[in-house]
Amino acid sequence: GDSVTQMEGPVTLSEEAFLTINCTYTATGYPSLFWYVQYPGEGLQLLLKATKADDKGSNKGFEATYRKETTSFHLEKGSVQVSDSAVYFCALTVQGAQKLVFGQGTRLTINP
Amino acid sequence: GAGVSQSPSNKVTEKGKDVELRCDPISGHTALYWYRQSLGQGLEFLIYFQGNSAPDKSGLPSDRFSAERTGGSVSTLTIQRTQQEDSAVYLCASSLVSGTSGSYEQYFGPGTRLTVT
């Protein structure tokens, strides 16, 4: 079946550090890929997405590139801020199936 | 405009009781989804409604779970004879159009935290 695997957390970094959160997927069809973020006390919100191979999604300084050859969609940010502290979820949908399949989530804490 | 709203925000119930959770999607969104977020299972899909089509119930964990969507808008998730393992945050999401590409953004509500004692 379709699945998403994220690097295990929690991840703790200092402000201005470089961030990578790994995400790989298994899908029976051609998936669209997403990163969702859940800030403390808030609901899930879409951070970025990519719908075809080699697409790069970007938002708020975060980037992720859809790599079909490695079935990956790693999240990166060049310089993290304390306000980036949140739980990050990688997810996919497969054509013809509307549900989101989520990874287990990665808790990120940024220290000043 | 208004986002997805859910009620109640918190619900504590005794084992064996029935509960109803409500979701008000964004006006005009034709697709509505229920997910469950729990410590042991992460984020799981439960059920999906699209327009007048038959719902996709493939994620419902047992026949104690059911959901309906009235008038293509408000949805209610019902859990009968609740068990302690039903304790979780129940999330509702809606999207503008649920196309075959699967790339339409799903907007999530704040969730209902259910605790079964």
Side-chain angles (χ1 to χ4, degrees):
Chain A
D2 303 324
S3 66
V4 176
T5 302
Q6 289 179 236
M7 67 184 287
E8 292 191 16
V11 174
T12 302
L13 296 171
S14 297
E15 207 166 19
E16 299 183 3
F18 184 86
L19 169 70
T20 300
I21 301 178
N22 290 337
C23 171
T24 57
Y25 66 88
T26 303
T28 51
Y30 198 139
S32 294
L33 302 174
F34 306 83
W35 277 99
Y36 277 82
V37 59
Q38 190 170 35
Y39 296 104
E42 297 185 19
L44 268 174
Q45 52 187 276
L46 179 66
L47 180 60
L48 53 84
K49 69 178 184 183
T51 59
K52 61 182 187 295
D54 300 324
D55 269 3
K56 179 185 284 187
S58 61
N59 187 24
K60 299 182 179 180
F62 290 89
E63 293 183 339
T65 301
Y66 189 142
R67 300 290 188 199
K68 196 167 188 290
E69 64 276 13
T70 54
T71 62
S72 66
F73 193 54
H74 304 322
L75 183 68
E76 297 182 336
K77 186 173 185 181
S79 177
V80 292
Q81 306 300 313
V82 172
S83 57
D84 294 326
S85 298
V87 181
Y88 292 81
F89 293 91
C90 186
L92 64 81
T93 58
V94 177
Q95 188 169 0
Q98 309 310 319
K99 64 181 181 181
L100 282 161
V101 176
F102 287 93
Q104 64 268 43
T106 301
R107 182 175 298 277
L108 173 67
T109 301
I110 307 300
N111 294 321
Chain B
V4 177
S5 61
Q6 294 185 245
S7 60
S9 55
N10 281 284
K11 177 72 176 178
V12 180
T13 190
E14 291 181 353
K15 178 182 171 181
K17 295 285 180 65
D18 297 353
V19 294
E20 286 189 350
L21 312 179
R22 177 187 168 103
C23 171
D24 281 273
I26 293 172
S27 178
H29 280 194
T30 58
L32 186 147
Y33 314 76
W34 284 97
Y35 296 86
R36 178 168 71 173
Q37 186 173 21
S38 58
L39 279 177
Q41 302 297 324
L43 268 160
E44 308 170 273
F45 165 79
L46 296 177
I47 189 169
Y48 151 69
F49 297 89
Q50 165 56 9
N52 296 320
S53 302
D56 175 357
K57 305 179 182 180
S58 60
L60 294 178
S62 78
D63 58 8
R64 296 186 296 104
F65 288 73
S66 63
E68 63 177 19
R69 189 178 185 192
T70 54
S73 181
V74 172
S75 177
T76 302
L77 177 69
T78 301
I79 309 173
Q80 296 179 309
R81 306 181 302 282
T82 52
Q83 304 294 313
Q84 287 186 330
E85 60 263 28
D86 299 335
S87 296
V89 176
Y90 289 82
L91 297 172
C92 177
S94 68
S95 66
L96 183 60
V97 175
S98 188
T100 56
S101 69
S103 65
Y104 292 96
E105 177 176 355
Q106 294 183 26
Y107 294 82
F108 283 80
T112 294
R113 182 175 297 278
L114 175 66
T115 304
V116 182
T117 61

